[in-house]
Amino acid sequence: MPLHMFILNANQPNRIIQSLRALSHQFSANPSFAMTGSRSDHTKGAKSPPPDDTVTQQGASPSSPASSSIAPPPPPDPAPKKRNAFLELMSPKHKSPKTAVIPADPHSHAAAKLKKGSYRGALLEYIQHPDRFPASQVLRTTPNTVLIRDAFPKATVHLLLLPRSPAHYEQHPHEALSDPAFLATIRAEAETAARLAAAELARQLSPFSASSKARNDALATGTVPYDDLPAGRDYLPEIRIGVHAHPSMAHLHVHILSRDMHSDRLKHRKHYNSFNTPFFVPLADYPLAEDDERRDSAFQNANLGRDLVCWACGKGFGNKFAELKRHLDDEFELWKKR
Amino acid sequence: MPLHMFILNANQPNRIIQSLRALSHQFSANPSFAMTGSRSDHTKGAKSPPPDDTVTQQGASPSSPASSSIAPPPPPDPAPKKRNAFLELMSPKHKSPKTAVIPADPHSHAAAKLKKGSYRGALLEYIQHPDRFPASQVLRTTPNTVLIRDAFPKATVHLLLLPRSPAHYEQHPHEALSDPAFLATIRAEAETAARLAAAELARQLSPFSASSKARNDALATGTVPYDDLPAGRDYLPEIRIGVHAHPSMAHLHVHILSRDMHSDRLKHRKHYNSFNTPFFVPLADYPLAEDDERRDSAFQNANLGRDLVCWACGKGFGNKFAELKRHLDDEFELWKKR
DNA sequence: TATTCCGATAGTGAC
DNA sequence: GTCACTATCGGAATGAG
């Protein structure tokens, strides 16, 4: 189902965000709520929506209660499979036909990368066939974007926003995001995603949060009217939105992830530095100036190899990745309790 | 029991060798014979032997049959211990008192190395108290030397000859072996050791040897008079004798080992190169000329890091140690069958 | 910078 | 080069009929 049309409607995303903001606020601190699959009819408020324009959140029947929270991630593999876990994840139901990973323009940015190995095209299946994935992986589908869980999350919450317009997703992020209309759409969708991520983070962590204690206690009584609940910790500032300066995956993807970098899947120095140096370009910084040093390849390579620095306390760890990892465990405990 | 006297008797070792040569020839191809512990009274033929001058081979009562073969090594650890296997091996019965590893002259070569850690002095216990070790580890004791199995053999047979004279064992090999009388004694003992090693090698490998087939077949009939047995493969040329140019162990030790470099304990490039580059100095090359390049430290460091080359076929393996290891498995099969 | 596997390289600690 | 442990660093394959 190739997408030939890429409809930009600056008003539509805003409306969606407004709806979700309200819901996120309502439910973000309720750990039990997100346990149910959900679908938000509030997100369908866009004007004159053709069938293609439907915004869906998977994993629930139309009759289930509305929510902007996202379903909890599946439990981590207890005993990770020996081989090809990555490729299996990328083709969960069947092997996609070979033609499915050949982009429209064989000379495009994406096509050039695909020649080196099919893994680089793994995101395309999500873009073209989000319906083939379970709700635990694909969180939200719009005509313009697909929002998925990163299969190898580098933080407690780590989502990917995938634009569906081939003209854009085959470009380098710097180029694609220099298109103002496209940028506006992606930014709006990314903010929606950030709210979902914040809600999921609240679901997981607010039980440990000192600043959420009053709210948690009130919720526990079951007697406090919802509108009278004290506010809990605001997790939205803990969510970061951006792209990698030189992605390996062929198709444009925007990272939406929590600040903590606490994950078993964070295994290498480059993993960490790709999110904690200028290699990570906040979406807010686009469009990039022509002379922005972050366009420079050599500069970015140097970033990935840089000495490790804790995002929370600024302590340096040189090349001692394992030491940083242990330190991040400690920082996570502190961060959770804020 | 410090040894204050170091008696050199050029004739004695030769006589020992002659006796052992005969025995080695007799029994070297009999795989079952070496299974019994043994002691050779033939090795006691030295003139005017005081009690200290007794040559012993452990592991047998005086009444057991004479043999120059050495007892088979204990089976390799089925499940190697997690920690400190090395140190346990070095102190099999008890922890030696701290003073035991302090050499006489605190400014000696050995003492300098000992400051960095006691492992460097691990050989001293064998030198001073060979009786504290089982016969499977200490093969032969003379007033001048102790012959032990290398605890981490880098070849099918790997022995260490340890001089017992502090004045010599605390020197760098180049210096100690510039003493002609000392060199003559060590050389003679090393040749004895080489014959023991050859006999052990024959015990282990002659069953696979094509050139030993006639002898093996004749032995199997049980009807051929011993003196009429066809000769088997001569394993003595497969034994190499030498020292490392820059040993890590503090006390002088001469390596006597089979040519094959086939061992689970051979784990690093330096292991291999220390025996297969000029870093390995054949005992026959001593005394070293003043300008011998093998005295040069930088040269020797370079040797340890050199590209790997198969000793058998000359094939190069660059830095691919694992590949060389697999290749050595193949070469071992061929070499066994010669 | 996709992951994973394998392996080479480097530093340490041992008392 | 003593060993053994931990970790860092580096390349290659990955799909598929």
Side-chain angles (χ1 to χ4, degrees):
Chain A
M1 186 192 81
L3 292 178
H4 297 292
M5 303 194 310
F6 186 67
I7 304 166
L8 287 176
N9 180 338
N11 291 328
Q12 178 194 335
N14 283 341
R15 212 171 289 115
I16 293 168
I17 290 168
Q18 284 164 1
S19 303
L20 285 167
R21 179 179 297 127
L23 285 161
S24 169
H25 184 260
Q26 271 187 304
F27 299 114
S28 64
N30 184 337
S32 68
F33 191 89
M35 294 306 292
T36 57
S38 61
R39 164 176 174 159
S40 171
D41 284 337
H42 297 261
T43 61
K44 294 175 78 176
K47 225 173 274 178
S48 60
D52 265 352
D53 210 11
T54 303
V55 174
T56 63
Q57 288 185 233
Q58 296 196 1
S61 68
S63 59
S64 52
S67 164
S68 70
S69 290
I70 57 185
D77 298 355
K81 311 309 178 297
K82 266 300 179 193
R83 308 205 115 265
N84 274 351
F86 175 75
L87 293 170
E88 284 164 17
L89 278 166
M90 293 303 109
S91 301
K93 290 185 180 169
H94 59 81
K95 319 229 167 179
S96 54
K98 197 144 201 173
T99 53
V101 294
I102 297 180
D105 174 3
H107 301 294
S108 69
H109 176 77
K113 291 201 163 189
L114 274 172
K115 283 176 187 166
K116 291 186 182 177
S118 65
Y119 78 84
R120 293 176 184 275
L123 296 178
L124 191 60
E125 183 76 357
Y126 290 101
I127 293 168
Q128 295 184 333
H129 302 290
D131 53 300
R132 291 180 179 171
F133 295 83
S136 60
Q137 291 170 41
V138 173
L139 303 180
R140 178 176 153 89
T141 302
T142 75
N144 297 336
T145 60
V146 177
L147 180 67
I148 67 174
R149 253 185 243 281
D150 190 303
F152 302 91
K154 305 305 187 294
T156 300
V157 176
H158 187 174
L159 311 181
L160 297 180
L161 180 65
L162 311 175
R164 305 182 74 177
S165 153
H168 292 98
Y169 69 53
E170 292 181 357
Q171 287 183 310
H172 187 284
H174 297 342
E175 300 316 309
L177 296 170
S178 68
D179 174 341
F182 176 75
L183 176 58
T185 304
I186 295 305
R187 200 167 265 163
E189 275 298 323
E191 284 167 15
T192 297
R195 292 188 182 283
L196 288 169
E200 169 65 6
L201 200 55
R203 185 188 69 77
Q204 289 188 43
L205 302 187
S206 64
F208 309 98
S209 163
S211 47
S212 295
K213 183 170 190 306
R215 181 183 177 88
N216 290 339
D217 291 348
L219 274 167
T221 68
T223 62
V224 181
Y226 198 87
D227 289 343
D228 294 345
L229 282 174
R233 176 175 176 184
D234 179 10
Y235 285 92
L236 196 54
E238 311 291 355
I239 305 297
R240 299 189 302 142
I241 306 170
V243 302
H244 283 157
H246 294 292
S248 284
M249 303 282 277
H251 303 94
L252 180 54
H253 51 288
V254 179
H255 295 271
I256 294 101
L257 76 171
S258 55
R259 164 77 279 187
D260 50 280
M261 309 312 294
H262 187 261
S263 165
D264 288 345
R265 299 297 200 171
L266 187 89
K267 294 179 176 177
H268 309 294
R269 182 209 297 236
K270 287 176 181 180
H271 283 162
Y272 185 81
N273 277 349
S274 74
F275 290 103
N276 292 280
T277 68
F279 193 92
F280 184 81
V281 185
L283 191 62
D285 291 5
Y286 284 97
L288 249 41
E290 274 307 312
D291 62 349
D292 193 304
E293 69 173 349
R294 289 173 292 183
R295 292 178 181 269
D296 183 59
S297 215
F299 170 74
Q300 293 296 12
N301 270 347
N303 276 324
L304 292 175
R306 276 199 341 201
D307 281 359
L308 297 160
V309 176
C310 174
W311 65 267
C313 70
K315 183 177 173 192
F317 289 85
N319 67 343
K320 309 293 191 211
F321 179 80
E323 225 175 280
L324 170 66
K325 281 285 287 181
R326 289 186 286 268
H327 177 77
L328 287 175
D329 288 345
D330 299 339
E331 290 288 4
F332 183 62
E333 290 306 307
L334 297 175
W335 180 77
K336 270 201 317 190
K337 290 170 183 155
R338 281 189 206 166
Chain B
M1 187 188 80
L3 292 178
H4 296 294
M5 303 194 309
F6 186 67
I7 302 165
L8 286 175
N9 178 340
N11 292 327
Q12 177 195 338
N14 282 339
R15 212 173 289 115
I16 294 169
I17 289 168
Q18 283 163 2
S19 303
L20 286 168
R21 180 180 295 128
L23 286 162
S24 170
H25 185 260
Q26 272 188 305
F27 300 113
S28 65
N30 184 336
S32 67
F33 190 89
M35 295 306 292
T36 58
S38 59
R39 165 179 173 157
S40 171
D41 286 336
H42 296 261
T43 61
K44 296 175 79 177
K47 226 172 275 178
S48 61
D52 264 351
D53 210 12
T54 303
V55 174
T56 63
Q57 290 184 229
Q58 294 195 3
S61 69
S63 59
S64 52
S67 163
S68 71
S69 290
I70 56 184
D77 297 355
K81 311 308 177 296
K82 267 302 181 194
R83 306 207 118 265
N84 274 353
F86 176 75
L87 291 171
E88 284 165 15
L89 277 166
M90 296 300 109
S91 302
K93 290 184 181 171
H94 58 83
K95 316 224 169 186
S96 53
K98 202 144 197 170
T99 53
V101 295
I102 298 179
D105 174 3
H107 300 295
S108 69
H109 175 78
K113 292 201 162 189
L114 274 173
K115 285 176 186 165
K116 291 186 182 177
S118 66
Y119 78 84
R120 293 177 184 273
L123 295 178
L124 191 61
E125 183 76 358
Y126 290 101
I127 293 168
Q128 296 184 332
H129 303 290
D131 53 299
R132 291 181 179 169
F133 296 83
S136 60
Q137 290 171 41
V138 173
L139 303 180
R140 177 177 154 90
T141 301
T142 75
N144 298 335
T145 59
V146 177
L147 180 66
I148 66 173
R149 255 184 242 281
D150 191 301
F152 303 91
K154 303 307 188 294
T156 300
V157 176
H158 188 175
L159 311 181
L160 297 180
L161 179 65
L162 312 175
R164 305 181 74 176
S165 154
H168 291 99
Y169 69 50
E170 290 181 359
Q171 287 184 307
H172 188 283
H174 298 342
E175 300 316 310
L177 296 170
S178 67
D179 174 341
F182 177 75
L183 176 58
T185 304
I186 295 306
R187 200 168 265 163
E189 275 299 323
E191 284 167 15
T192 297
R195 292 187 183 282
L196 287 169
E200 169 66 5
L201 200 55
R203 186 189 69 77
Q204 288 189 42
L205 301 186
S206 63
F208 309 98
S209 163
S211 48
S212 295
K213 184 170 191 305
R215 181 184 177 89
N216 290 339
D217 291 348
L219 274 167
T221 67
T223 62
V224 181
Y226 198 86
D227 290 344
D228 296 345
L229 282 175
R233 176 177 176 183
D234 180 10
Y235 285 93
L236 195 55
E238 312 291 356
I239 304 297
R240 299 189 302 144
I241 305 171
V243 302
H244 283 158
H246 293 291
S248 284
M249 303 283 277
H251 302 93
L252 181 53
H253 50 288
V254 180
H255 295 271
I256 294 103
L257 75 170
S258 55
R259 163 78 278 189
D260 49 281
M261 309 310 296
H262 187 259
S263 166
D264 288 346
R265 301 296 201 167
L266 187 88
K267 295 179 176 177
H268 308 295
R269 183 209 297 234
K270 287 177 180 179
H271 283 163
Y272 185 82
N273 277 348
S274 73
F275 290 104
N276 292 279
T277 68
F279 193 92
F280 184 80
V281 185
L283 191 61
D285 293 4
Y286 282 95
L288 249 40
E290 275 306 317
D291 62 349
D292 193 305
E293 71 172 349
R294 289 172 293 184
R295 290 177 181 272
D296 182 59
S297 214
F299 169 75
Q300 293 297 12
N301 270 345
N303 275 325
L304 291 175
R306 276 202 339 204
D307 282 359
L308 297 159
V309 176
C310 174
W311 65 268
C313 71
K315 185 178 171 191
F317 289 84
N319 66 344
K320 308 294 190 211
F321 179 81
E323 226 175 278
L324 170 67
K325 281 286 286 180
R326 289 186 287 267
H327 176 77
L328 287 175
D329 288 345
D330 300 339
E331 290 286 4
F332 184 62
E333 290 306 306
L334 297 174
W335 181 76
K336 270 200 319 189
K337 291 172 182 154
R338 284 188 203 166

